[in-house]
Amino acid sequence: MIHVSATPVEPANWQNLLASSITDPAELIRRLKLDPALLAPARAAGREFSLRVPEPYLARMVPGDPNDPLLRQVLPLGDELEEHPGYVLDPLGEQHANALPGVIHKYHGRLLLIVSGGCAVNCRYCFRRHFPYEDNNPGTAEWQNALAYIRQDPSISEVILSGGDPLAVNDRRLAWLVREVASIAHVRRLRVHTRLPVVIPQRVTPALIDALCGTRLPVTMVLHVNHANEIDSELGLAIRQMRQAGMTLLNQSVLLREVNHQIEQLIDLSEALGDHGVIPYYLHVLDQVRGAQHFHVDDAQARDLVGRMLTRLPGFLVPRLVREVAGEAAKVPLHVSLVTA
Ligand code: SF4
């Protein structure tokens, strides 16, 4: 398999890699030697939700293959512009749970901080692709309000750093925020939901690890990997560093048509995560966000796939199949029965 070579970016630190991400569909198509006919729909769909692909992620795609499972996650398609009943701007009703700028408080005991509206990659299926990040870009005063909100609610035992991607902010800001959260006695755990180490493994540095792990709080890092091809040696190294620092590593994936909806793809993904000591935590069915309906896999097929995984893998490598439902008290598990191949 020949992979596209990355354009050298000097020096290859994560900020430079982030800043040099591909945002022009013409460049993506040229670099991957794809059919130029893909350009017009990519430009049209990219006007609603822009293209963004960092070089280290591009380097794992196969040139000339329009069906590459990593490319499918990032290339804007004309399908995104079709209207489908039930596919809406805010499928999870998060704008109602947006307690304060930068704060989403949906579930008992856990609270989510929108640390950054930016992501290192724009995933076409993202349920927050229409989220009003411009209203959730807290400055210091807003952060003090968010921290005061946590302080006055002793039921909050876990704080989740989310986004966008929380690791898109610099280490100094992260370290400050983590220290402030750790100073609240009733907070017992810190969780980080991120895709940045997957698409730019160079994001995992000693300074990041110090920022996250430098307090009393145990840290759980929830990665977002959808396909085994996303796990290369650089991501493997980043995972090893995080594990050595004592973080618990979990993964959540989204079940996506033409990306990972085949049983062998899901098995390969779980095996590859297991090889690196990452526990597959959730497999989400697609949130019905406008523009993503072409990724839909129906519930019967989703249940069948996970039923097959149960008979092929050890239990700890089978993710829980869940759906997020606006207003529910937690993610809703989909019932799965064993399916023998
Ligand atoms: S990294 Fe996460 S938040 Fe950002 S676009 Fe992808 S799925 Fe959405």
Side-chain angles (χ1 to χ4, degrees), residues 124-193:
R124 307 316 298 174
Y125 52 85
C126 181
F127 69 92
R128 293 201 183 119
R129 54 182 282 164
H130 308 287
F131 189 79
Y133 286 115
E134 60 282 4
D135 301 337
N136 284 274
N137 191 14
T140 304
E142 283 88 0
W143 280 124
Q144 293 298 356
N145 291 341
L147 291 163
Y149 182 94
I150 300 169
R151 251 181 233 113
Q152 56 78 40
D153 186 346
S155 75
I156 298 169
S157 55
E158 182 166 14
V159 170
I160 302 167
L161 307 185
S162 184
D165 200 304
L167 301 192
V169 302
N170 67 43
D171 296 327
R172 200 161 40 86
R173 174 159 282 251
L174 270 179
W176 172 80
L177 187 58
V178 172
R179 275 197 309 273
E180 290 293 315
V181 170
S183 73
I184 302 171
H186 56 261
V187 176
R188 303 166 72 150
R189 293 178 297 279
L190 181 74
R191 202 187 325 168
V192 182
H193 283 186

Side-chain angles (χ1 to χ4, degrees), residues 49 118-129 133 163-165 194-196 224 254:
F49 181 48
C119 288
V121 63
N122 282 352
C123 311
R124 307 316 298 174
Y125 52 85
C126 181
F127 69 92
R128 293 201 183 119
R129 54 182 282 164
Y133 286 115
D165 200 304
T194 178
R195 188 148 159 77
L196 221 156
H224 175 174
V254 183

Side-chain angles (χ1 to χ4, degrees), residues 182-302:
S183 73
I184 302 171
H186 56 261
V187 176
R188 303 166 72 150
R189 293 178 297 279
L190 181 74
R191 202 187 325 168
V192 182
H193 283 186
T194 178
R195 188 148 159 77
L196 221 156
V198 177
V199 298
I200 304 180
Q202 293 82 350
R203 177 64 185 99
V204 178
T205 60
L208 174 69
I209 288 173
D210 284 352
L212 296 177
C213 299
T215 73
R216 66 180 177 84
L217 297 174
V219 180
T220 300
M221 178 73 75
V222 185
L223 298 173
H224 175 174
V225 182
N226 293 319
H227 193 282
N229 290 5
E230 290 173 69
I231 306 177
D232 65 358
S233 58
E234 291 192 338
L235 176 55
L237 176 65
I239 289 171
R240 201 154 56 244
Q241 289 166 340
M242 291 190 282
R243 292 184 63 217
Q244 281 168 354
M247 294 185 199
T248 299
L249 268 286
L250 306 178
N251 184 62
Q252 53 184 345
S253 307
V254 183
L255 183 59
L256 300 165
R257 178 161 300 284
E258 305 302 339
V259 173
N260 59 11
H261 80 291
Q262 311 275 1
I263 183 63
E264 295 307 329
Q265 293 167 324
L266 290 172
I267 300 256
D268 287 351
L269 173 58
S270 275
E271 294 276 21
L273 291 167
D275 291 346
H276 290 83
V278 181
I279 302 295
Y281 171 41
Y282 280 142
L283 178 63
H284 294 260
V285 296
L286 182 74
D287 298 313
Q288 296 199 325
V289 66
R290 196 173 80 188
Q293 73 293 330
H294 55 291
F295 289 111
H296 174 75
V297 177
D298 68 37
D299 281 5
Q301 188 177 0

